[in-house]
């Protein structure tokens, strides 16, 4: 059992990648409960008058250094580094960027955390992905499962290892392995949602591969839970408690949008069009359970596809411009 945490903690949390899908949701969630947030940015920081209440910016160089003084008073650093995994086909140059954008920035943050005084050293929450487990079919996977094979699995293993300077210094470190994030603003399901709106979505390959998903809402809640519980260290799967097959996910999405989801995309066509990305991500099966979160007492607001898709539809309608159907 974990200790109860008050709804307003008064903590200060630093976020790398605060302008992204997950980072912006996390920043809003933290500020919503009364925390202060430090956004680590590459450009010149803006004055406080041009920022939302509770936010300040600190400039850093992901491939260079982060002044440990920038982390004074910070309780936790959330590292959301990295170029988009599914944004484009994985050429050799793209794969080098996927690796360098993660390892360099994670190493920089880990060294800054390590350089902080032991009595004020912040907790480090560093991003990873369920791709760590590789393509595992129907096997049930937990944080104790071995890593898989392939480019993405190897990347995740090296990504997690890049936090070693902080761990060696005695910092509290978490590697949160994110699954497919269901969001009204795109993310991993963005293209699939667009196809579903036009009735063009359907099974990808056989559709029987497991997709371990979590809503953006619950992902932000899970990260704040990890910020609040420094006794939780090591690997933590950030997924919902009930992984589903890809066909079930797209069927539930179609039901919410009132669109058919019968148009299949054969596996060979996906491999031809997307190359290695298709095999490692789209067609890979990862039946991942969030064992650490469950045992720590975390509860999901969206435990199943029905509640997740109802939330997604409501969130999309709220985000739609005025006058749009």
């Amino acid at each position: 059992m974990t200790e109860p945490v008050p709804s307003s903690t008064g903590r200060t949390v630093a976020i790398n990648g605060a302008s992204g899908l997950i980072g912006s949701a996390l920043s809003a969630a933290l500020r919503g409960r009364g925390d202060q947030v430090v956004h680590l940015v590459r450009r010149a920081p803006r004055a406080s008058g041009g920022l939302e209440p509770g936010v300040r910016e600190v400039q850093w160089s992901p491939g260079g250094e982060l002044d440990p003084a920038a982390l004074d008073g910070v309780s936790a650093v959330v590292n959301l580094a990295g170029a988009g995994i599914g944004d484009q086909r994985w050429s050799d140059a793209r794969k080098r960027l996927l690796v360098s954008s993660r390892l360099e920035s994670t190493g920089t943050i880990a060294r800054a955390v390590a350089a902080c005084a032991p009595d004020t050293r912040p907790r480090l929450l560093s991003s990873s992905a369920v791709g760590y487990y590789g393509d595992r079919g129907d096997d049930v996977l937990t944080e104790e499962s071995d890593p898989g094979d392939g480019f993405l699995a190897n990347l995740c293993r090296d990504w997690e290892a890049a936090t070693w300077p902080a761990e060696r210094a005695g910092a509290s470190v978490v590697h949160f392995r994110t699954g497919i994030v269901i969001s009204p603003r795109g993310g991993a399901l963005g293209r699939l949602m667009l196809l579903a709106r036009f009735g063009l979505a359907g099974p990808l390959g056989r559709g029987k591969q497991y997709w371990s998903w979590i809503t953006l809402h619950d992902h932000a809640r899970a990260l704040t839970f990890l910020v609040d519980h420094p006794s939780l260290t090591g690997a933590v799967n950030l997924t919902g408690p009930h992984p589903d097959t890809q066909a079930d996910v797209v069927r539930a999405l179609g039901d919410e949008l009132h669109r058919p989801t019968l148009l299949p995309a054969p596996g060979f066509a996906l491999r031809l069009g997307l190359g290695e990305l298709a095999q490692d991500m789209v067609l890979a099966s990862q039946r991942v359970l969030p064992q650490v979160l469950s045992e720590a007492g975390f509860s999901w607001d969206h435990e199943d596809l029905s509640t997740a898709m109802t939330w997604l539809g409501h969130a999309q309608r709220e985000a739609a411009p005025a006058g749009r159907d």
Side-chain angles (χ1 to χ4, degrees):
M1 293 294 291
T2 55
E3 70 275 13
V5 175
S7 58
S8 178
T9 67
R11 289 186 172 88
T12 298
V13 179
I15 304 174
N16 164 33
S19 62
L21 179 72
I22 292 173
S24 58
L26 174 61
S27 179
L30 290 167
R31 288 182 283 113
R33 68 177 195 171
D35 290 353
Q36 301 291 307
V37 181
V38 178
H39 291 177
L40 302 179
V41 298
R42 302 184 186 192
R43 52 172 170 75
R46 291 175 291 177
S48 58
L51 299 170
E52 295 176 296
V55 175
R56 64 182 174 91
E57 293 183 341
V58 170
Q59 188 175 17
W60 76 307
S61 173
E65 296 299 328
L66 171 62
D67 186 353
L71 302 181
D72 287 348
V74 169
S75 300
V77 181
V78 182
N79 174 36
L80 297 166
I85 287 285
D87 291 356
Q88 56 185 269
R89 188 184 176 100
W90 291 350
S91 64
D92 289 343
R94 183 64 181 179
K95 289 199 288 187
R96 287 193 295 270
L97 176 62
L98 294 176
V99 172
S100 63
S101 64
R102 284 163 173 77
L103 270 57
E104 290 177 1
S105 56
T106 300
T108 297
I109 287 178
R111 289 191 297 272
V113 168
C116 293
D119 58 339
T120 60
R121 182 175 291 131
R123 174 166 166 76
L124 174 57
L125 281 64
S126 193
S127 183
S128 184
V130 296
Y132 173 92
Y133 302 106
D135 184 0
R136 304 289 280 273
D138 294 342
D139 292 351
V140 176
L141 306 169
T142 71
E143 290 86 353
E144 298 176 355
S145 299
D146 293 333
D149 299 317
F151 169 74
L152 190 53
N154 292 335
L155 170 58
C156 289
R157 187 175 61 246
D158 292 343
W159 192 4
E160 294 181 12
T163 64
W164 175 240
E167 295 178 69
R168 181 176 55 193
S172 171
V173 178
V174 164
H175 304 113
F176 59 91
R177 297 171 180 165
T178 296
I180 292 175
V181 178
I182 294 176
S183 163
R185 294 189 285 132
L189 286 184
R191 294 173 186 169
L192 188 58
M193 288 167 59
L194 180 61
L195 291 173
R197 289 193 183 97
F198 292 97
L200 300 176
L204 301 178
R206 298 176 62 198
K208 294 185 177 181
Q209 65 271 32
Y210 277 92
W211 279 10
S212 298
W213 57 268
I214 186 170
T215 63
L216 181 62
H217 167 85
D218 274 339
H219 195 285
R221 292 181 58 249
L223 283 177
T224 59
F225 184 87
L226 292 176
V227 166
D228 294 338
H229 294 88
S231 61
L232 297 178
T233 60
V236 178
N237 293 330
L238 256 61
T239 66
H242 305 295
D244 293 276
T245 66
Q246 185 273 329
D248 286 339
V249 172
V250 76
R251 187 181 302 114
L253 179 59
D255 289 346
E256 175 60 33
L257 297 173
H258 306 291
R259 295 290 189 273
T261 53
L262 302 175
L263 190 64
F268 75 87
L270 291 168
R271 292 186 187 93
L272 183 64
L274 299 176
E276 194 174 0
L277 186 155
Q279 190 60 48
D280 267 25
M281 286 190 64
V282 179
L283 300 175
S285 181
Q286 289 137 359
R287 192 178 185 179
V288 178
L289 298 184
Q291 179 173 288
V292 171
L293 282 177
S294 295
E295 292 179 352
F298 180 78
S299 61
W300 288 259
D301 284 344
H302 309 129
E303 287 196 1
D304 53 44
L305 280 176
S306 177
T307 55
M309 292 303 170
T310 298
W311 168 81
L312 177 64
H314 178 73
Q316 286 181 314
R317 288 187 290 273
E318 280 195 335
R324 178 179 172 182
D325 293 335

